Amino acid sequence: METTSSSRVGAQPAEAAAPGDAPAQEQQTAPQDDAQPQEATASVPVARRTAEGYLRAEFPWYGLDGAFTGPRWLMQVGVGADGTVEHGSTGHGDEPSARGEIATGEKERFAVVVTVASNPLRRSGDGTGVLEATSVSSAAWLAGSGLLAYSWPGQMDHSLRSDWLDQQTEAAWELADDLGGEDWSTLSLPVDGEPTPFHYRESEFGWVLAGSTGSGVHLGAYGRGMSAYGLGFSVIADLAAYEG
């Protein structure tokens, strides 16, 4: 029976959005082996996002803890071939767009928290193989590719961005698969009030971190304009706080 690496969870990161658009509505996509993230094409107003997909998950969702007092909003969930919710994201602060800072000159301040279910065994998207267990690398991969979805290098033409995104996404995958490498440092942040180690890296587009919790999930996060060093994470007690 074929075994496939699991760090690349799902067919596309739940965070991807079309250039200049707000994050898309919840959608269900089956995992595909070695799939690259695609930019979502749909744009959905904040007020139409609901917690329905999140409520189907069998694991707790995480967000920034009570020390964060700014806006909170839902993004998307990712599901497996059997319809099981595998991961999803919640946003905090300004809702980012790929060209927001370049187009308006205003610096966006946001942090997105990615929750990934800890699964010991998963079927491949085509049903012919078995995927390895999700890991911290899975969370790092989703966070890294999510940040890229909201990044647009200066002086880059729209027609060139797809090729750039493909290249950078592959680089993000390689980085996520080497969390012990020199590109990562260690950062301790509170999770449910307990100090927890995270793998952390910065780039010109923002920061990415990934770690695990004691409640059976892996956490990833990415952001821009907000320092990661002062963040804390906790289980979301009421998703209504994130609904538009």
Side-chain angles (χ1 to χ4, degrees):
M1 183 175 293
E2 178 185 0
T3 301
T4 307
S5 177
S6 69
S7 298
R8 227 180 282 217
V9 178
Q12 74 177 36
E15 301 81 70
D21 288 341
Q25 186 181 24
E26 171 201 342
Q27 74 181 50
Q28 299 181 357
T29 54
Q32 299 175 10
D33 297 344
D34 298 324
Q36 293 289 340
Q38 303 289 325
E39 289 182 273
T41 57
S43 177
V44 178
V46 176
R48 289 177 56 190
R49 298 181 204 147
T50 70
E52 180 182 356
Y54 295 80
L55 294 173
R56 294 200 300 268
E58 298 180 356
F59 55 88
W61 294 103
Y62 275 78
L64 297 187
D65 62 19
F68 176 77
T69 58
R72 298 171 184 256
W73 29 276
L74 296 175
M75 298 183 74
Q76 291 179 310
V77 298
V79 301
D82 59 356
T84 301
V85 177
E86 295 186 334
H87 61 84
S89 303
T90 54
H92 310 77
D94 302 327
E95 291 198 64
S97 63
R99 302 193 70 172
E101 187 172 336
I102 295 175
T104 66
E106 297 180 358
K107 189 173 183 63
E108 298 168 333
R109 301 181 66 256
F110 68 90
V112 172
V113 179
V114 183
T115 307
V116 183
S118 178
N119 292 322
L121 188 67
R122 301 183 298 126
R123 301 294 301 181
S124 61
D126 59 9
T128 61
V130 175
L131 302 178
E132 295 175 5
T134 54
S135 66
V136 177
S137 289
S138 307
W141 154 244
L142 288 168
S145 55
L147 178 62
L148 289 171
Y150 293 115
S151 303
W152 195 305
Q155 309 304 314
M156 176 170 285
D157 184 80
H158 183 281
S159 63
L160 299 176
R161 185 171 183 269
S162 179
D163 290 340
W164 174 86
L165 191 59
D166 286 344
Q167 294 170 357
Q168 294 302 311
T169 296
E170 184 64 28
W173 155 245
E174 293 174 357
L175 285 168
D177 209 36
D178 185 25
L179 293 177
E182 61 182 13
D183 292 293
W184 297 89
S185 59
T186 301
L187 179 63
S188 180
L189 296 172
V191 176
D192 295 325
E194 295 294 327
T196 303
F198 284 88
H199 300 277
Y200 175 79
R201 68 178 176 89
E202 294 181 355
S203 73
E204 60 182 304
F205 306 113
W207 51 263
V208 172
L209 58 80
S212 295
T213 75
S215 56
V217 300
H218 306 292
L219 289 185
Y222 63 90
R224 194 159 55 225
M226 292 173 59
S227 172
Y229 287 85
L231 301 182
F233 306 96
S234 63
V235 171
I236 299 174
D238 185 3
L239 284 166
Y242 286 82
E243 292 187 277

